[in-house]
Amino acid sequence: MKTFITFLFCSLLTTFASAQIVICFTTGEDQDPDKCDHNYCSPNAPFDFSKGIYRIPYEDGIIVSVTNDHIKHCPRGAIDMSGDSGNSEYNIVAAADGWIRAISDSHNTQCTCKNGDNCDNNYVWIEHPNGEWTKYTHVRYHTASDLHNEGDWVTAGTIIGVEGTVGCSTGDHCHFEVAVPYAGIDDLYFDTGGGWIDNDSAMNLVPLFCNVPGNIMKSGESYFSIGCVNSCDVSLPSANTTYSSGTFKAFLDDDAISNSDDLTFLGASSGVIQGGSSITLKAGFQAEFLSTFEARIGNCSGAGFTKESVPSESVVKEDFSVEPNPASQSTIVKWDMKMSGEVNISVCDMSGHDMINVLHTQQMNSGWHQQQIDLSGLASGAYFLRAVINGEHLIKKIIVQQE
């Protein structure tokens, strides 16, 4: 059985940390606030890499050009890409196996989203069995809902819509992003108008792609779209190499991988080394303070995306709800226990401090349960409902709106 090994070289990073070191910098054109008013700021290091290896989200055989990569895109963390093969339209496909969790394609208006010129985007969100979610924005009117329903299971390469320019867009393209809920949060929260993630409960990842040199898409480059049929075969640099702040480097090999010379990741750089069988980091390797580095075992075959990779025994994950939400004076939490056991439920603020002790180490029988929660003592704002039920950790974000 393969072992998943992770090395992190960075200062303490936790979802509920109250104070963090933050690195901020800009590049070239981004210093012009008229071009991008989102500075590149992030705790410790820019972004983590996706665990999944994704295919380019266009039909096979299409040349795809990248206008904005995850750094140049405003806001950060997404990629703008478009079909560039001379076709009149291009089909968007699922980048990996997963469940369609949201379809919004009832809009047909294009806008700039500047100076009050606002409109809603069309988008599709897919949840993958590895815990990551992918988003496909600007699909044409009714090209997604005519094909699928929310909850449908789709495989990599399945058409999910047509490239469009609906919403905040300046031309036909696909806005693609990968996001993951923070540890302990069992769902991805996003606004319905544009599908933007709630940054208090989730974060964007730098997506790793198969059949892309270096596995990371870059602005100004073009790529040939095809499924993940080829293995990864990349060696670490054979000469002394140092990666500077703001650099993102991925080295993926389906077999063994090792460094032969000095290899350094400076602060605010990000790197991942993935080997199919083993990883050896010899003397001369270093990841400096405030860099983010990960070494892991895996391959490029799409492992972790199949239904079979989902744990079959889940105590309550799909049967845990809070209604109403948003709420004012009170709300009700409901859950279904597959077996009797211990229950702990509390409401905490965004820093992780307990505000309301709802249930404490209470033994309950199997079956459906519900508990009313008095919210009258809380100020308006965002909170987390945190539950531990039979050892399974579950978190729901709740919004309190006091009159």
Side-chain angles (χ1 to χ4, degrees):
M1 180 177 180
K2 292 181 178 179
T3 304
F4 190 88
I5 306 173
T6 301
F7 301 95
L8 289 180
F9 296 83
C10 57
S11 63
L12 181 62
L13 176 60
T14 173
T15 303
F16 300 116
S18 57
Q20 297 174 325
I21 298 174
V22 175
I23 296 172
C24 299
F25 60 91
T26 59
T27 58
E29 64 180 4
D30 295 338
Q31 296 175 3
D32 183 349
D34 293 332
K35 295 181 179 179
C36 181
D37 58 1
H38 297 274
N39 287 330
Y40 183 18
C41 298
S42 176
N44 301 303
F47 294 98
D48 291 333
F49 292 98
S50 66
K51 296 293 189 293
I53 311 298
Y54 295 90
R55 63 160 292 154
I56 296 173
Y58 281 75
E59 274 189 306
D60 288 355
I62 301 300
I63 297 174
V64 177
S65 296
V66 176
T67 306
N68 299 304
D69 59 25
H70 62 280
I71 294 299
K72 189 176 179 182
H73 191 280
C74 302
R76 311 294 184 193
I79 301 173
D80 286 336
M81 60 184 81
S82 57
D84 197 16
S85 293
N87 299 2
S88 59
E89 65 178 39
Y90 297 94
N91 289 327
I92 303 301
V93 304
D97 297 0
W99 298 271
I100 294 179
R101 293 308 190 198
I103 296 176
S104 176
D105 71 345
S106 61
H107 309 292
N108 56 14
T109 303
Q110 178 186 5
C111 59
T112 64
C113 290
K114 294 181 179 180
N115 301 319
D117 178 27
N118 294 314
C119 59
D120 288 334
N121 289 327
N122 289 343
Y123 58 86
V124 176
W125 270 111
I126 297 179
E127 180 185 10
H128 304 286
N130 67 348
E132 296 173 351
W133 296 56
T134 54
K135 181 193 179 192
Y136 315 75
T137 305
H138 309 304
V139 295
R140 293 187 187 179
Y141 176 75
H142 278 186
T143 61
S145 58
D146 285 351
L147 295 172
H148 303 287
N149 297 311
E150 293 180 359
D152 285 355
W153 171 264
V154 293
T155 56
T158 301
I159 297 173
I160 58 172
V162 176
E163 177 194 80
T165 186
V166 177
C168 301
S169 174
T170 56
D172 286 345
H173 71 284
C174 176
H175 162 116
F176 179 81
E177 60 186 277
V178 178
V180 64
Y182 287 127
I185 301 179
D186 65 338
D187 205 354
L188 188 76
Y189 297 95
F190 51 87
D191 72 85
T192 57
W196 302 106
I197 65 172
D198 176 4
N199 290 302
D200 290 328
S201 60
M203 65 178 176
N204 283 119
L205 302 172
V206 177
L208 296 178
F209 294 94
C210 64
N211 303 315
V212 167
N215 300 101
I216 301 172
M217 283 189 166
K218 297 181 179 180
S219 297
E221 298 293 330
S222 296
Y223 307 95
F224 187 75
S225 182
I226 192 172
C228 295
V229 295
N230 297 325
S231 63
C232 291
D233 183 16
V234 176
S235 300
L236 292 175
S238 58
N240 296 345
T241 305
T242 297
Y243 294 113
S244 59
S245 299
T247 300
F248 292 80
K249 296 296 294 185
F251 301 94
L252 313 180
D253 193 302
D254 281 345
D255 297 314
I257 191 168
S258 174
N259 65 307
S260 57
D261 290 275
D262 291 352
L263 181 63
T264 302
F265 288 89
L266 299 180
S269 66
S270 293
V272 60
I273 297 176
Q274 179 174 303
S277 58
S278 68
I279 301 167
T280 304
L281 298 178
K282 302 176 181 177
F285 170 84
Q286 57 180 328
E288 293 190 349
F289 179 65
L290 294 180
S291 66
T292 293
F293 174 76
E294 188 176 13
R296 64 198 193 193
I297 300 297
N299 56 47
C300 293
S301 65
F305 284 129
T306 63
K307 282 185 178 181
E308 289 72 21
S309 66
V310 182
S312 59
E313 296 297 327
S314 178
V315 179
V316 292
K317 183 171 183 178
E318 296 184 358
D319 301 315
F320 180 71
S321 64
V322 183
E323 295 180 354
N325 187 18
S328 56
Q329 296 298 301
S330 66
T331 191
I332 296 175
V333 56
K334 301 178 181 179
W335 67 97
D336 183 19
M337 297 179 64
K338 303 298 188 292
M339 62 187 75
S340 60
E342 188 176 276
V343 178
N344 288 272
I345 300 177
S346 61
V347 176
C348 62
D349 63 17
M350 299 301 287
S351 296
H353 301 115
D354 284 343
M355 305 298 290
I356 302 174
N357 187 358
V358 181
L359 293 173
H360 181 63
T361 59
Q362 185 165 335
Q363 292 292 324
M364 291 189 166
N365 296 324
S366 60
W368 277 98
H369 299 270
Q370 68 178 47
Q371 179 71 37
Q372 185 170 0
I373 304 174
D374 182 6
L375 304 175
S376 59
L378 297 180
S380 296
Y383 298 86
F384 285 122
L385 180 67
R386 183 162 52 191
V388 182
I389 303 174
N390 276 337
E392 183 171 359
H393 293 257
L394 299 145
I395 292 182
K396 290 284 188 182
K397 185 176 181 180
I398 57 176
I399 304 298
V400 176
Q401 296 177 338
Q402 301 294 9
E403 298 177 355

